[in-house]
Amino acid sequence: MTSRHLVVTGGAGFIGSALVHHIIEHTDDIVTVVDSLTYAGNRASLEGLPRTRVRLEVQDITDALEMDDIIRDADAVIHCAAESHNDNSLADPSPFVQTNLVGTYTLLESVRRHGVRLHHVSTDEVFGDLALDDPQRFTETTPYHPSSPYSATKAGSDLLVGAWVRSFGVRATLSICSNNYGPRQHVEKFIPRQITNLLDGVRPRLYGTGANVRDWIHADDHAAAVLRILDAGEIGETYLVGADGERSNREVVRAILRHMGRAEDDYELVADRPGHDLRYAIDASRLCDELGWTPRYGDFEAGLEDTIRWYRENEDRWRPQKAATEAMYRAAGQ
Ligand code: NAD
Ligand code: DAU
């Protein structure tokens, strides 16, 4: 296997670090992580990886000169860096516009100047939501209809990528994935928030009635899909990534409570998220049929148990963020 030089933006975040761990385990590639280490980035997420193959550049993706220096020698850029949390985008959309739109634009211009291949990591939230009883799931032809400042900036960044492919011949692919779970996710997100609340003796918090549905996939399966698309995806094309993991938030909280030895109804209903998307559901058949990808973590309950174990065993990784995160939620009434 020939070794490539891959740049992974946002590689100190949840999905970026899952991707870097996956690349190191499954290829001979070397990786430059570009990450500005916002509140969501953590150097420790790259611990244990060989220094001969993984280098961290603490840089902001909106810095065009720095991006040029890093990208000119790369074989490909995998773009994961983003402001990623819906609740934060409702409190202050400005960093979302800056990183997700201006940052993606900056990277597009850099890969265009240097003729470097790009893979852009996006989210199913660009489609808006589905009714609970809608028999359709999201496909590559579903129209964009984003609901929050977060998803609107992600949708905008996807459109920039499409325009740079068509107008300038940039060699890019795009993946759209559903909700990820697994180790190293920030405690602001749903699953780690509830696990770490329980570890702290606090009841899980469900927005609204807990009826909203998310389509869960393990982050390592997402990482494998991204690599497969980088290797075999058609330039200019979009691939949907999902693992048939639809569950209501209430079902997920009940499963967490069960796996942590608590009564399944020992949760609290709190104020709903404004504009809260009802349901996401991905049809990943194109990725499976055309590129031969299949998820390894078919069993959500087993993946959830592994994830709970990781948070139990790695308190040093999440403890520093927990108090500030809960203070933010308290201020928002949640
Ligand atoms: P995350 O918040 O855990 O990580 C984002 C990373 O980007 C952090 O390490 C942060 O420091 C870095 N970053 C932010 N702004 C930056 C900037 N201006 N310059 C350089 N680095 C910057 O997010 P995540 O959950 O890992 O999401 C990664 C990508 O995957 C995002 O594009 C997101 O839209 C997409 N995605 C996420 C999910 C999910 O369930 N988490 C699902 C589908 C798609
Ligand atoms: O679908 C992909 C998206 O999934 C990604 O693009 C986003 O980056 C990622 O954050 C995630 O977005 P969600 O808004 O779906 O994830 P979050 O973890 O914030 O919430 C999941 C669901 O749980 C959602 O319906 C809101 C609800 N929730 C969340 C929190 C934090 C609760 O009920 N209680 C909570 O405490």
Side-chain angles (χ1 to χ4, degrees):
M1 206 189 316
T2 40
S3 164
R4 296 172 293 190
H5 174 204
L6 304 180
V7 170
V8 176
T9 70
F14 169 47
I15 290 167
S17 64
L19 183 62
V20 178
H21 282 266
H22 190 94
I23 291 168
I24 295 305
E25 196 176 329
H26 296 277
T27 75
D28 291 331
D29 298 334
I30 59 163
V31 179
T32 301
V33 168
V34 177
D35 199 300
S36 60
L37 298 179
T38 66
Y39 80 96
N42 193 343
R43 272 177 199 279
S45 294
L46 300 169
E47 269 172 16
L49 294 168
R51 288 189 179 193
T52 48
R53 292 182 59 200
V54 180
R55 177 170 66 104
L56 171 63
E57 289 275 356
V58 181
Q59 298 292 348
D60 194 305
I61 58 163
T62 61
D63 186 328
L65 290 178
E66 293 290 353
M67 289 310 106
D68 263 0
D69 268 356
I70 294 166
I71 286 171
R72 66 162 54 91
D73 296 325
D75 293 305
V77 176
I78 305 177
H79 179 30
C80 301
E83 285 292 337
S84 69
H85 193 39
N86 276 297
D87 292 319
N88 292 345
S89 82
L90 297 167
D92 179 10
S94 63
F96 290 76
V97 171
Q98 195 59 22
T99 290
N100 300 357
L101 287 169
V102 179
T104 302
Y105 158 77
T106 308
L107 293 174
L108 280 165
E109 284 292 82
S110 187
V111 294
R112 169 156 91 106
R113 272 192 289 276
H114 301 292
V116 171
R117 167 91 164 83
L118 174 74
H119 180 76
H120 179 64
V121 173
S122 193
T123 167
D124 57 2
E125 301 205 7
V126 297
F127 299 128
D129 57 359
L130 296 164
L132 291 179
D133 59 355
D134 192 332
Q136 303 296 322
R137 298 188 289 171
F138 298 136
T139 70
E140 282 76 10
T141 57
T142 304
Y144 277 29
H145 194 59
S147 314
S148 72
Y150 162 64
S151 50
T153 55
K154 289 298 292 183
S157 70
D158 293 5
L159 299 184
L160 291 177
V161 173
W164 261 242
V165 170
R166 177 154 175 170
S167 302
F168 304 125
V170 161
R171 290 178 300 129
T173 43
L174 199 151
S175 55
I176 289 187
C177 190
S178 57
N179 284 64
N180 285 222
Y181 72 97
R184 299 184 291 269
Q185 189 169 27
H186 194 280
V187 289
E188 69 192 354
K189 301 294 189 332
F190 178 50
I191 289 180
R193 183 181 183 209
Q194 315 314 335
I195 295 171
T196 53
N197 272 358
L198 282 166
L199 292 174
D200 279 348
V202 175
R203 297 168 88 199
R205 302 286 195 258
L206 268 175
Y207 293 176
T209 62
N212 303 60
V213 169
R214 295 294 183 264
D215 188 356
W216 294 98
I217 179 174
H218 195 281
D220 187 61
D221 280 334
H222 185 186
V226 165
L227 264 197
R228 185 70 196 133
I229 298 165
L230 184 73
D231 290 342
E234 206 176 311
I235 297 301
E237 292 299 313
T238 293
Y239 297 86
L240 265 57
V241 185
D244 298 332
E246 277 190 75
R247 273 173 180 73
S248 73
N249 295 338
R250 198 181 318 111
E251 286 175 291
V252 173
V253 156
R254 291 178 79 91
I256 294 171
L257 282 158
R258 193 168 60 247
H259 287 298
M260 295 184 73
R262 302 279 291 265
E264 286 190 22
D265 58 358
D266 195 11
Y267 56 78
E268 225 167 272
L269 297 178
V270 295
D272 207 355
R273 171 186 283 171
H276 195 176
D277 279 342
L278 191 50
R279 172 177 164 235
Y280 306 137
I282 288 267
D283 176 352
S285 34
R286 179 179 192 195
L287 178 64
C288 301
D289 297 347
E290 291 183 17
L291 302 189
W293 171 86
T294 44
R296 252 180 1 115
Y297 288 83
D299 182 351
F300 175 75
E301 297 276 334
L304 188 61
E305 267 196 287
D306 286 352
T307 305
I308 292 169
R309 190 173 319 114
W310 189 88
Y311 282 92
R312 270 194 207 286
E313 291 174 357
N314 292 278
E315 184 172 344
D316 57 319
R317 300 282 185 91
W318 55 265
R319 176 60 66 197
Q321 290 88 43
K322 183 66 180 167
T325 303
E326 287 307 314
M328 175 276 283
Y329 279 124
R330 262 194 308 281
Q334 288 160 336

Coordinates of all heavy atoms in Angstrom, one line a residue, residues 69-132:
D69 N 0.2 26.8 3.4 CA 1.4 26.2 3.8 C 1.3 24.7 4.1 O 2.1 23.9 3.8 CB 2.0 26.9 5.1 CG 2.9 28.0 4.7 OD1 3.2 28.1 3.5 OD2 3.4 28.7 5.6
I70 N 0.1 24.4 4.7 CA -0.1 23.0 5.2 C -0.6 22.2 4.0 O -0.2 21.0 3.8 CB -1.1 23.0 6.3 CG1 -0.5 23.6 7.6 CG2 -1.5 21.5 6.7 CD1 -1.5 24.0 8.7
I71 N -1.5 22.7 3.2 CA -2.2 22.0 2.2 C -1.3 21.7 0.9 O -1.5 20.7 0.2 CB -3.5 22.6 1.9 CG1 -4.5 22.4 3.0 CG2 -4.1 22.2 0.5 CD1 -5.8 23.2 3.0
R72 N -0.4 22.6 0.6 CA 0.3 22.5 -0.7 C 1.0 21.1 -0.9 O 1.1 20.6 -2.0 CB 1.3 23.6 -0.9 CG 2.5 23.8 0.0 CD 3.5 24.7 -0.7 NE 3.0 26.0 -1.1 CZ 3.0 27.1 -0.3 NH1 3.5 27.0 1.0 NH2 2.5 28.2 -0.7
D73 N 1.4 20.5 0.2 CA 2.2 19.2 0.1 C 1.3 18.0 0.3 O 1.7 16.9 0.4 CB 3.3 19.1 1.2 CG 4.3 20.2 0.9 OD1 4.6 20.5 -0.3 OD2 4.9 20.8 1.9
A74 N 0.0 18.2 0.5 CA -0.9 17.1 0.9 C -1.4 16.4 -0.4 O -1.5 16.9 -1.5 CB -2.1 17.6 1.7
D75 N -1.8 15.1 -0.2 CA -2.4 14.3 -1.2 C -3.9 14.5 -1.2 O -4.6 14.5 -2.2 CB -2.1 12.8 -1.1 CG -0.6 12.5 -1.3 OD1 -0.2 12.9 -2.4 OD2 0.0 12.0 -0.5
A76 N -4.5 14.8 0.0 CA -5.9 15.0 0.2 C -6.2 15.7 1.5 O -5.4 15.6 2.5 CB -6.7 13.7 0.1
V77 N -7.3 16.4 1.5 CA -7.8 17.1 2.7 C -9.1 16.5 3.1 O -10.0 16.4 2.2 CB -8.0 18.6 2.5 CG1 -8.6 19.2 3.8 CG2 -6.6 19.3 2.2
I78 N -9.3 16.0 4.3 CA -10.6 15.6 4.8 C -11.1 16.6 5.8 O -10.4 16.9 6.8 CB -10.5 14.2 5.5 CG1 -9.9 13.2 4.5 CG2 -11.9 13.7 5.9 CD1 -9.7 11.8 5.1
H79 N -12.2 17.3 5.5 CA -12.6 18.5 6.2 C -13.7 18.1 7.2 O -14.9 18.0 6.9 CB -13.1 19.5 5.2 CG -13.6 20.8 5.8 ND1 -13.1 21.3 7.0 CD2 -14.5 21.7 5.3 CE1 -13.8 22.4 7.2 NE2 -14.6 22.7 6.2
C80 N -13.3 18.0 8.5 CA -14.2 17.8 9.6 C -14.4 19.0 10.5 O -15.4 19.0 11.3 CB -13.7 16.6 10.5 SG -13.4 15.1 9.6
A81 N -13.5 19.9 10.4 CA -13.6 21.1 11.4 C -14.9 21.8 11.2 O -15.3 22.1 10.1 CB -12.4 22.0 11.2
A82 N -15.6 22.1 12.3 CA -16.8 22.8 12.3 C -17.2 23.2 13.7 O -16.7 22.6 14.6 CB -18.0 22.0 11.7
E83 N -18.0 24.2 13.8 CA -18.8 24.4 15.0 C -20.0 23.4 14.8 O -20.7 23.5 13.8 CB -19.3 25.9 15.1 CG -18.2 26.8 15.5 CD -17.7 26.6 16.9 OE1 -18.5 26.1 17.8 OE2 -16.6 27.0 17.2
S84 N -20.2 22.6 15.8 CA -21.1 21.4 15.5 C -22.3 21.3 16.4 O -23.1 20.3 16.2 CB -20.2 20.1 15.7 OG -19.9 19.9 17.0
H85 N -22.5 22.2 17.4 CA -23.6 21.9 18.3 C -24.8 22.9 18.1 O -24.7 24.1 18.3 CB -23.1 22.0 19.8 CG -24.1 21.5 20.8 ND1 -24.8 20.3 20.5 CD2 -24.4 21.9 22.0 CE1 -25.6 20.1 21.6 NE2 -25.3 21.0 22.5
N86 N -25.9 22.3 17.8 CA -27.2 23.1 17.5 C -27.5 24.1 18.6 O -27.8 25.2 18.4 CB -28.3 22.1 17.4 CG -28.4 21.6 15.9 OD1 -28.6 22.4 15.0 ND2 -28.3 20.3 15.8
D87 N -27.4 23.6 19.9 CA -27.8 24.5 21.0 C -26.9 25.7 21.0 O -27.4 26.8 21.3 CB -27.8 23.7 22.3 CG -28.8 22.7 22.4 OD1 -30.0 22.9 22.0 OD2 -28.5 21.6 22.9
N88 N -25.6 25.6 20.8 CA -24.7 26.7 20.8 C -25.1 27.7 19.6 O -25.0 28.9 19.7 CB -23.3 26.3 20.6 CG -22.8 25.5 21.8 OD1 -23.4 25.6 22.9 ND2 -21.7 24.8 21.6
S89 N -25.5 27.1 18.5 CA -25.8 27.9 17.3 C -27.0 28.8 17.6 O -27.2 29.9 17.0 CB -26.0 27.1 16.1 OG -27.3 26.5 15.9
L90 N -27.9 28.3 18.5 CA -29.1 29.1 18.8 C -28.7 30.3 19.8 O -29.3 31.4 19.7 CB -30.1 28.3 19.5 CG -30.7 27.1 18.6 CD1 -31.5 26.1 19.4 CD2 -31.5 27.7 17.5
A91 N -27.7 30.1 20.6 CA -27.2 31.1 21.5 C -26.4 32.1 20.8 O -26.4 33.3 21.1 CB -26.4 30.5 22.7
D92 N -25.5 31.7 19.9 CA -24.6 32.6 19.2 C -24.2 32.0 17.8 O -23.3 31.2 17.8 CB -23.4 33.0 20.0 CG -22.4 33.9 19.3 OD1 -22.8 34.5 18.2 OD2 -21.3 34.1 19.7
P93 N -24.9 32.5 16.8 CA -24.6 31.9 15.4 C -23.2 32.3 14.8 O -22.7 31.7 13.9 CB -25.7 32.3 14.5 CG -26.7 32.9 15.4 CD -26.0 33.4 16.7
S94 N -22.6 33.4 15.4 CA -21.5 34.0 14.6 C -20.3 33.0 14.4 O -19.8 32.9 13.3 CB -21.0 35.3 15.3 OG -20.6 35.0 16.6
P95 N -19.8 32.2 15.4 CA -18.7 31.3 15.1 C -19.1 30.3 14.0 O -18.2 29.7 13.3 CB -18.3 30.7 16.4 CG -19.4 31.1 17.4 CD -20.2 32.2 16.8
F96 N -20.4 30.0 13.9 CA -20.8 29.0 12.9 C -20.7 29.5 11.5 O -20.2 28.8 10.6 CB -22.3 28.6 13.2 CG -22.4 27.8 14.5 CD1 -22.3 28.4 15.7 CD2 -22.6 26.4 14.4 CE1 -22.4 27.6 16.9 CE2 -22.7 25.6 15.6 CZ -22.6 26.3 16.8
V97 N -21.0 30.8 11.4 CA -20.9 31.4 10.0 C -19.4 31.5 9.7 O -18.9 31.2 8.6 CB -21.5 32.8 10.0 CG1 -21.1 33.6 8.8 CG2 -23.0 32.7 10.2
Q98 N -18.6 31.9 10.7 CA -17.1 32.0 10.5 C -16.5 30.7 10.1 O -15.8 30.6 9.1 CB -16.5 32.6 11.8 CG -15.1 33.2 11.6 CD -15.1 34.3 10.6 OE1 -16.1 35.0 10.2 NE2 -13.9 34.5 10.0
T99 N -16.6 29.7 10.9 CA -15.9 28.4 10.7 C -16.5 27.6 9.6 O -15.8 27.2 8.7 CB -15.8 27.6 12.0 OG1 -14.9 28.3 12.9 CG2 -15.3 26.2 11.7
N100 N -17.9 27.5 9.6 CA -18.5 26.5 8.7 C -18.5 27.1 7.3 O -18.4 26.3 6.3 CB -19.9 26.1 9.2 CG -19.8 25.5 10.6 OD1 -18.7 25.2 11.1 ND2 -21.0 25.1 11.2
L101 N -18.8 28.4 7.2 CA -18.8 29.0 5.8 C -17.5 29.6 5.4 O -16.9 29.2 4.4 CB -19.9 30.1 5.8 CG -21.4 29.5 5.8 CD1 -22.4 30.6 6.1 CD2 -21.7 28.8 4.5
V102 N -17.0 30.5 6.2 CA -15.7 31.2 5.8 C -14.6 30.1 5.8 O -13.7 30.1 4.9 CB -15.4 32.4 6.7 CG1 -14.1 33.0 6.2 CG2 -16.5 33.4 6.6
G103 N -14.6 29.3 6.8 CA -13.5 28.2 6.9 C -13.6 27.3 5.7 O -12.5 27.0 5.1
T104 N -14.7 26.8 5.3 CA -14.8 25.9 4.2 C -14.4 26.6 2.9 O -13.7 26.1 2.0 CB -16.3 25.4 4.1 OG1 -16.6 24.7 5.3 CG2 -16.4 24.4 2.9
Y105 N -14.9 27.9 2.7 CA -14.4 28.7 1.6 C -12.9 28.8 1.5 O -12.3 28.6 0.5 CB -15.1 30.1 1.7 CG -14.3 31.1 0.9 CD1 -14.5 31.2 -0.5 CD2 -13.5 32.0 1.5 CE1 -13.8 32.1 -1.2 CE2 -12.8 33.0 0.8 CZ -12.9 33.0 -0.6 OH -12.2 33.9 -1.3
T106 N -12.3 29.0 2.7 CA -10.8 29.2 2.7 C -10.1 27.9 2.3 O -9.2 27.9 1.5 CB -10.4 29.6 4.2 OG1 -11.1 30.7 4.6 CG2 -8.9 29.9 4.2
L107 N -10.6 26.8 2.7 CA -10.0 25.5 2.3 C -10.3 25.2 0.9 O -9.4 24.7 0.2 CB -10.7 24.3 3.2 CG -10.3 24.3 4.7 CD1 -11.1 23.2 5.4 CD2 -8.8 24.1 4.9
L108 N -11.5 25.6 0.4 CA -11.7 25.3 -1.1 C -10.8 26.1 -1.9 O -10.3 25.6 -2.9 CB -13.2 25.7 -1.4 CG -14.2 24.7 -1.0 CD1 -15.6 25.3 -1.0 CD2 -14.2 23.5 -1.9
E109 N -10.5 27.4 -1.6 CA -9.6 28.2 -2.3 C -8.2 27.6 -2.3 O -7.5 27.6 -3.3 CB -9.6 29.6 -1.8 CG -10.8 30.4 -2.3 CD -10.8 30.6 -3.8 OE1 -11.3 29.7 -4.5 OE2 -10.4 31.7 -4.2
S110 N -7.8 27.0 -1.1 CA -6.5 26.5 -1.0 C -6.3 25.2 -1.8 O -5.3 25.0 -2.5 CB -6.2 26.2 0.5 OG -4.8 25.8 0.6
V111 N -7.3 24.3 -1.7 CA -7.2 23.0 -2.5 C -7.3 23.4 -4.0 O -6.7 22.7 -4.9 CB -8.3 22.0 -2.1 CG1 -8.0 21.4 -0.7 CG2 -9.7 22.4 -2.3
R112 N -8.0 24.4 -4.4 CA -8.1 24.8 -5.8 C -6.7 25.3 -6.2 O -6.2 24.9 -7.3 CB -9.1 26.0 -5.9 CG -9.1 26.7 -7.3 CD -10.4 27.3 -7.6 NE -10.5 28.7 -7.1 CZ -10.5 29.7 -8.0 NH1 -10.3 29.5 -9.3 NH2 -10.7 30.9 -7.5
R113 N -6.0 26.2 -5.4 CA -4.7 26.7 -5.8 C -3.7 25.6 -6.0 O -2.9 25.6 -6.9 CB -4.2 27.6 -4.7 CG -4.6 29.1 -4.9 CD -3.9 30.0 -4.0 NE -4.3 29.9 -2.6 CZ -5.3 30.5 -2.0 NH1 -6.1 31.3 -2.8 NH2 -5.6 30.3 -0.8
H114 N -3.8 24.5 -5.1 CA -2.8 23.5 -5.1 C -3.2 22.2 -5.8 O -2.4 21.2 -5.8 CB -2.3 23.3 -3.7 CG -1.7 24.5 -3.1 ND1 -0.6 25.1 -3.5 CD2 -2.2 25.3 -2.1 CE1 -0.4 26.2 -2.8 NE2 -1.3 26.3 -1.9
G115 N -4.4 22.2 -6.4 CA -4.9 20.9 -7.1 C -5.0 19.7 -6.1 O -4.7 18.6 -6.6
V116 N -5.4 20.0 -4.9 CA -5.4 18.9 -3.9 C -6.9 18.3 -3.8 O -7.8 19.1 -3.8 CB -4.9 19.4 -2.5 CG1 -5.1 18.3 -1.4 CG2 -3.4 19.7 -2.6
R117 N -7.0 17.0 -3.7 CA -8.3 16.3 -3.5 C -8.9 16.7 -2.2 O -8.2 16.8 -1.1 CB -8.0 14.8 -3.6 CG -9.1 13.9 -3.1 CD -10.0 13.5 -4.3 NE -10.8 12.4 -4.0 CZ -12.0 12.4 -3.3 NH1 -12.4 13.6 -2.9 NH2 -12.7 11.3 -3.1
L118 N -10.2 16.9 -2.1 CA -10.9 17.3 -0.9 C -12.1 16.3 -0.6 O -12.8 15.9 -1.5 CB -11.5 18.7 -1.0 CG -12.4 19.2 0.1 CD1 -11.5 19.5 1.4 CD2 -13.2 20.4 -0.3
H119 N -12.2 15.9 0.6 CA -13.5 15.3 1.0 C -14.1 16.1 2.1 O -13.5 16.4 3.2 CB -13.3 13.8 1.5 CG -14.6 13.3 1.9 ND1 -15.5 12.8 1.0 CD2 -15.2 13.2 3.1 CE1 -16.6 12.5 1.6 NE2 -16.5 12.6 2.9
H120 N -15.4 16.5 1.9 CA -16.1 17.4 2.8 C -17.1 16.6 3.7 O -17.9 15.8 3.1 CB -16.8 18.4 2.0 CG -17.6 19.4 2.8 ND1 -17.1 20.3 3.7 CD2 -19.0 19.6 2.9 CE1 -18.0 21.0 4.3 NE2 -19.2 20.6 3.8
V121 N -17.0 16.7 5.0 CA -17.9 15.9 5.9 C -19.1 16.7 6.3 O -18.9 17.8 6.9 CB -17.1 15.5 7.1 CG1 -17.9 14.8 8.2 CG2 -15.9 14.5 6.8
S122 N -20.3 16.2 5.9 CA -21.5 17.0 6.2 C -22.5 16.2 7.0 O -22.1 15.1 7.5 CB -22.1 17.6 5.0 OG -23.1 18.6 5.4
T123 N -23.6 16.7 7.2 CA -24.6 16.2 8.2 C -26.0 16.1 7.6 O -26.4 16.9 6.7 CB -24.7 17.1 9.4 OG1 -25.8 16.7 10.2 CG2 -24.8 18.6 9.0
D124 N -26.8 15.1 8.0 CA -28.1 14.9 7.5 C -29.0 16.1 7.9 O -30.1 16.2 7.4 CB -28.7 13.6 8.0 CG -28.8 13.4 9.5 OD1 -28.3 14.3 10.2 OD2 -29.2 12.3 10.0
E125 N -28.6 16.9 8.8 CA -29.4 18.1 9.3 C -29.6 19.1 8.1 O -30.5 19.9 8.2 CB -28.8 18.8 10.4 CG -28.6 17.9 11.6 CD -28.5 18.6 12.9 OE1 -28.8 19.8 12.9 OE2 -28.3 18.0 13.9
V126 N -28.8 19.0 7.1 CA -29.0 19.9 5.9 C -30.4 19.7 5.3 O -30.9 20.6 4.7 CB -27.9 19.8 4.9 CG1 -26.6 20.1 5.4 CG2 -27.9 18.4 4.2
F127 N -31.0 18.5 5.5 CA -32.3 18.2 4.8 C -33.5 18.7 5.7 O -34.6 18.5 5.2 CB -32.4 16.7 4.7 CG -31.3 16.0 3.8 CD1 -30.6 14.9 4.3 CD2 -31.1 16.5 2.5 CE1 -29.7 14.3 3.4 CE2 -30.1 15.9 1.7 CZ -29.4 14.8 2.2
G128 N -33.2 19.2 6.9 CA -34.4 19.5 7.8 C -34.8 18.2 8.4 O -34.1 17.2 8.5
D129 N -36.2 18.1 8.7 CA -36.6 16.9 9.4 C -37.7 16.2 8.7 O -38.3 16.7 7.7 CB -37.0 17.2 10.9 CG -38.1 18.2 11.0 OD1 -38.5 18.8 10.0 OD2 -38.5 18.5 12.1
L130 N -38.0 14.9 9.1 CA -39.1 14.1 8.6 C -40.2 14.0 9.6 O -39.9 14.1 10.8 CB -38.5 12.7 8.3 CG -37.4 12.6 7.2 CD1 -36.7 11.2 7.4 CD2 -38.0 12.7 5.8
A131 N -41.4 13.7 9.1 CA -42.5 13.3 10.1 C -42.1 11.9 10.7 O -41.4 11.1 10.0 CB -43.8 13.3 9.3
L132 N -42.7 11.7 11.9 CA -42.4 10.4 12.5 C -42.9 9.2 11.7 O -42.2 8.2 11.7 CB -43.0 10.3 13.9 CG -42.4 11.3 15.0 CD1 -43.2 11.1 16.3 CD2 -41.0 11.0 15.2

